[in-house]
Amino acid sequence: MSIFNYRQFINWRHALVDGKATKQPYDPALDRAIDPTDSKNWKTYAEVQANGHPIGFEITAADPFFFLDLDKCR
């Protein structure tokens, strides 16, 4: 199954949190930050793509995916 078939997408925006630049999970329809771990905030890829904001994908323990985050590795 393609990742695009999952309903685990969110939008995000750049924000300052505690003085640090970060990617804040965000619902553009409500114009507010969201809890990305709450599945009621997840949408389809088409829904998040349609509003033009950056897109994120929420990975869960039940997913068949592996993710390795290599921040500041260079």
Side-chain angles (χ1 to χ4, degrees):
M1 178 168 20
S2 167
I3 192 171
F4 298 107
N5 293 71
Y6 287 79
R7 185 183 175 86
Q8 291 170 228
F9 290 90
I10 62 165
N11 289 111
W12 60 270
R13 64 180 172 186
H14 289 286
L16 283 178
V17 176
D18 298 327
K20 182 180 175 186
T22 189
K23 296 175 183 172
Q24 182 182 57
Y26 171 70
D27 186 334
L30 301 175
D31 192 31
R32 67 172 176 83
I34 60 167
D35 176 0
T37 63
D38 186 344
S39 61
K40 70 181 171 199
N41 292 317
W42 301 347
K43 297 178 167 59
T44 66
Y45 180 78
E47 289 171 322
V48 297
Q49 182 193 36
N51 63 43
H53 291 271
I55 299 170
F57 182 80
E58 293 304 308
I59 297 174
T60 71
D63 292 331
F65 307 113
F66 173 83
F67 178 77
L68 178 62
D69 188 3
L70 298 174
D71 288 339
K72 298 179 182 138
C73 65
R74 295 176 101 186

